[in-house]
Amino acid sequence: MMKERVHWIDILRGFCMLSILLDHTEIYYTGGNLIPYDWYVSNVLIVFFFLSGYLMYKQQGFSLSGKMFSIGRSLLLPYFLFTIVLALPKALVHGHSIDWESLLLPILTGRASWFIATLIVSETVFSLFLWITRGKVIPLFLLSFCALVGSVLLTKQSTDYPWCINNALQAVLFLSIGWFYQSRKEVFNRINAPLYTSFLFISLIIIKGYATYKGVHTMIYPMSIDSYFLFFLDMLTSIFLLVNVCKQLPRCKLVEWVGAHSIVYYFVCGGVPLCLSLALEKVGLDYQGAYYSVLIAYALVCIVASGIVAIVYRYLPFMLGKRY
């Protein structure tokens, strides 16, 4: 029996996934971010961790074995299958040497898809925290805060760890916030009103304006955060704002479809913009300084990526741990 999907979660995921596609389109088509990275990219990536924690809350109780099985089937299996299938094409497009070190080492060390690797490790760690604390809020947040401290200390030494451990430890705190939001949803639903939404929007504009003026960076991969206070203020404000907005929006089937299939979009969100950008350059439609051409390239990226995603879900569901 299939679970009923929550439309605002799929809308939020869809919006975030489309934002990531725009970011990658700009990077590959123009050679950089025209819309500054710090304005939105970290925010939409962090939302995925928040939603993962939100969906991990179970009123009937948490099952560690059940969650470990779910992580293995829905995240770890797709990670290995997709990265193995894409390893050779990715190496050829980027002009990398074809040997085991270039093809297999990034996969085995979790570097072939940093976001999925981070999600796997952070969900595993947070699951252990839930099991250890039995879902008690204060011990859970203390452990999550310790994970954040560990992330900061590791990042001071390096930003390139196997399976993105430093990123994953940071993400654990956002999973715990999502879990807490769901566990206290009756309280948080009270701020789901136009007045609070307007306040959050104005607050986010002020935060972004101040960070831009001061040149404060909030990049989460590779991790480059100049002010953790401003970073968390920025991330939490944007999370609550986006949740409020998406809860108030009407149904939007196209965006919801993107959100419901976001994991495959993530595996192709780099390759599709890169290949299309190279193809557009070959036919003389490369970037010449007009942003409308970026929007055209972005529309093509969305269409091609959606076609690939539809094919995978229709004909290759085993790659996602699903049955036909």
Side-chain angles (χ1 to χ4, degrees), residues 177-222:
I177 293 169
W179 180 91
F180 182 73
Y181 186 104
Q182 169 68 324
S183 69
R184 304 292 190 277
K185 62 181 178 182
E186 293 82 6
V187 176
F188 286 104
N189 282 341
R190 296 173 187 171
I191 67 170
N192 186 226
L195 179 62
Y196 292 106
T197 303
S198 300
F199 172 75
L200 289 168
F201 177 73
I202 294 170
S203 299
L204 187 62
I205 294 297
I206 293 172
I207 293 167
K208 291 293 186 185
Y210 177 80
T212 302
Y213 175 73
K214 290 292 186 178
V216 178
H217 296 296
T218 56
M219 182 177 290
I220 63 171
Y221 186 82

Side-chain angles (χ1 to χ4, degrees), residues 28-94:
Y28 289 116
Y29 185 60
T30 73
N33 288 105
L34 300 184
I35 302 174
Y37 177 101
D38 292 323
W39 282 12
Y40 72 100
V41 181
S42 291
N43 302 80
V44 297
L45 289 168
I46 289 296
V47 164
F48 283 105
F49 299 121
F50 170 84
L51 289 176
S52 292
Y54 181 96
L55 294 171
M56 283 177 69
Y57 177 81
K58 305 297 180 185
Q59 198 167 14
Q60 67 271 24
F62 176 76
S63 169
L64 179 62
S65 59
K67 186 58 186 178
M68 292 297 101
F69 177 78
S70 175
I71 292 171
R73 184 191 65 184
S74 61
L75 289 176
L76 193 60
L77 177 65
Y79 169 82
F80 280 114
L81 291 179
F82 276 98
T83 54
I84 288 171
V85 169
L86 296 173
L88 183 58
K90 185 185 292 186
L92 292 173
V93 171
H94 286 283

Side-chain angles (χ1 to χ4, degrees), residues 239-259:
I239 286 171
F240 292 130
L241 172 63
L242 289 172
V243 169
N244 273 13
V245 169
C246 290
K247 282 185 174 182
Q248 296 169 26
L249 288 175
R251 301 296 296 264
C252 181
K253 290 184 178 180
L254 287 176
V255 178
E256 287 180 50
W257 190 88
V258 173

